[in-house]
Amino acid sequence: MRTRTIGDVTVSAIGLGAMPLSIEGRPDEAQAVSTVHAALEAGVTLIDTADAYHQPGTHEVGHNEELVARAVASFGGDTSDVLIATKGGHLRPDASSSAWTQDGHPAYLKEAARASAKRLGVEAIGLYQFHRPDPAVPYADSIGALADLLDEGVIRMAGISNADPDQIREANDVLGGRLASVQNQYSPAFRSSEAELVLCDELGVAFLPWSPLGGITNAGDLGTEHAAFAEIAAARGLSPQVVALAWELAKSDVVVPIPGSRRPQTILDSVSAATVKLAAEEIERLDRA
Ligand SMILES: NC(=O)c1ccc[n+]([C@@H]2O[C@H](COP(=O)([O-])OP(=O)(O)OC[C@H]3O[C@@H](n4cnc5c(N)ncnc54)[C@H](OP(=O)(O)O)[C@@H]3O)[C@@H](O)[C@H]2O)c1
C-alpha cells in the first residue's frame, strides 16, 4: 500500500471514513465491523471518525468512535500502526432534526477531547481535529484549546476541518507550527477547496478530502455525473470512484482521501486507488472535466 504522512505518522494513502457506519442509513453492527476489518486487512492505517457521527440526539454521542474502537480491537492482526483520527466541536443535539450545530468554546473542546479519548480507549488521541469553525467563538480561542490539549498530552496531533486559507494560517500560528492536517470537502463535484489544498502542499500539512466521492448519496453516480472519470475508468478497467481517488492522490503528496463505506466491497475497491498512477494527460483531462 502506498503511504503518506500526517505529522510524524505514516499512514496508508487511502483512509477509511467511518461516518456512514453510524449516521442515518447505517448498517448493522456486524456489517459495520466487517467493513472496518476489510479496510484493516487491506492495509488501511487511517480511520476518520468524530464524536458527532451518530443519529441525531445526545444519547448517541460517540457512537462511531466506540464502534471504530470495538472493530479495531476485535481485528485479529497487528493494529499498532493504525491512526484513529477523531473530531470535536460539531454536534447533533436535537433528536427531531438532522441539523448539525457548532460549539468551539475552549472549555467545551477540552472536555469533548477527553471524552473522545475515553471512548477510543487511548491515553492520547492520535489526531484530534476541530470539526468546524464556530462563528460565536474567535477561531484563535478554539485553536488555543487544541494547543493546550497538545501540551497536556491529551492529543498527539492537532488538525482542523472546514477551514479557509486564512484559518489554516491562523491555526498553524496559534499551534506554533504544529498543525498536522486540514480536512475539507473535495471531490470531482466539489473543487472549491483547491486553494486550501495548494496551501497545505506549501506548508507540508496533510490535506484530507472529505466526501471525496461526492458524499454518501451521490458517490454511486460519480461516473454518470462526470463522464471523463467514467471514460478513463472504462479504458483502464477501474471504477470511476477509483479514478476519482487516484486523481485526488495525484494532486499532491499531502493528500490523503478518506472515502466513506458501509460495505467491504466499496472500501476494498477504493483502497485499490493507492496503486493507480494516472498519466499526466489523464490528470489534465480530469482537471478540465
Ligand atoms: N469534516 C467534515 O465536516 C466531514 C463531512 C462529511 C464527511 N466527513 C468524513 O469524510 C468521510 C467520507 O465522506 P462521505 O462518507 O460523506 O462521502 P464519500 O466518501 O464521498 O461517499 C461515501 C459513499 O461512497 C460509497 N463508496 C465508497 N467507495 C466506493 C467505491 N469504490 N465505489 C462505489 N461507491 C463507493 C460508499 O457506499 P456504500 O455505503 O454502499 O459502501 C459510501 O456510502 C466520512 O466518512 C467522514 O469520515 C467529514
Side-chain angles (χ1 to χ4, degrees):
M1 166 79 80
R2 199 161 15 140
T3 57
R4 295 262 150 120
T5 305
I6 301 179
D8 59 359
V9 176
T10 300
V11 294
S12 53
I14 298 288
L16 169 67
M19 181 179 78
L21 301 176
S22 286
I23 65 167
E24 297 90 320
R26 68 193 182 198
D28 62 28
E29 169 98 6
Q31 186 178 323
V33 170
S34 301
T35 304
V36 176
H37 285 181
L40 294 171
E41 189 66 48
V44 167
T45 56
L46 169 67
I47 303 179
D48 182 71
T49 179
D51 58 4
Y53 292 164
H54 57 80
Q55 300 192 113
T58 51
H59 63 293
E60 277 215 344
V61 172
H63 181 282
N64 197 240
E65 293 176 321
E66 287 174 354
L67 171 69
V68 167
R70 268 196 309 278
V72 171
S74 66
F75 182 66
D78 179 13
T79 54
S80 57
D81 58 349
V82 174
L83 176 66
I84 300 180
T86 192
K87 315 182 199 76
H90 221 356
L91 300 89
R92 311 191 76 193
D94 185 350
S96 64
S97 149
S98 60
W100 298 68
T101 61
Q102 277 102 259
D103 191 339
H105 290 93
Y108 168 78
L109 289 174
K110 289 184 182 185
E111 199 182 307
R114 287 194 163 81
S116 287
K118 204 167 173 191
R119 283 191 288 264
L120 292 172
V122 294
E123 251 173 52
I125 295 170
L127 173 64
Y128 193 67
Q129 307 153 97
F130 178 39
H131 207 147
R132 186 176 282 275
D134 179 353
V137 180
Y139 198 56
D141 290 0
S142 302
I143 303 301
L146 264 60
D148 291 346
L149 288 165
L150 279 172
D151 295 340
E152 290 160 14
V154 179
I155 66 176
R156 275 209 69 246
M157 296 192 289
I160 55 176
S161 182
N162 300 300
D164 66 25
D166 287 344
Q167 289 164 332
I168 294 173
R169 286 197 189 85
E170 186 176 7
N172 202 31
D173 284 350
V174 173
L175 291 165
R178 293 180 291 173
L179 179 65
S181 66
V182 173
Q183 184 178 139
N184 275 14
Q185 186 173 9
Y186 190 75
S187 67
F190 189 96
R191 305 184 188 202
S192 47
S193 282
E194 197 88 42
E196 289 86 6
L197 192 163
V198 170
L199 177 58
C200 285
D201 179 76
E202 274 168 38
L203 295 172
V205 168
F207 182 88
L208 280 51
W210 66 253
S211 292
L213 302 174
I216 299 174
T217 319
N218 300 317
D221 298 328
L222 195 148
T224 320
E225 288 167 11
H226 305 277
F229 286 82
E231 285 159 21
I232 290 174
R236 282 173 159 267
L238 301 169
S239 69
Q241 289 80 7
V242 164
V243 172
L245 296 168
W247 168 74
E248 290 162 21
L249 285 171
K251 291 272 150 196
S252 159
D253 285 347
V254 300
V255 172
V256 191
I258 45 167
S261 186
R262 286 174 295 207
R263 297 177 289 148
Q265 301 96 289
T266 46
I267 187 58
L268 292 178
D269 185 50
S270 292
V271 162
S272 69
T275 59
V276 175
K277 277 225 181 261
L278 296 172
E281 315 85 71
E282 291 174 315
I283 295 169
E284 278 164 31
R285 187 171 164 214
L286 296 171
D287 282 346
R288 288 195 309 270

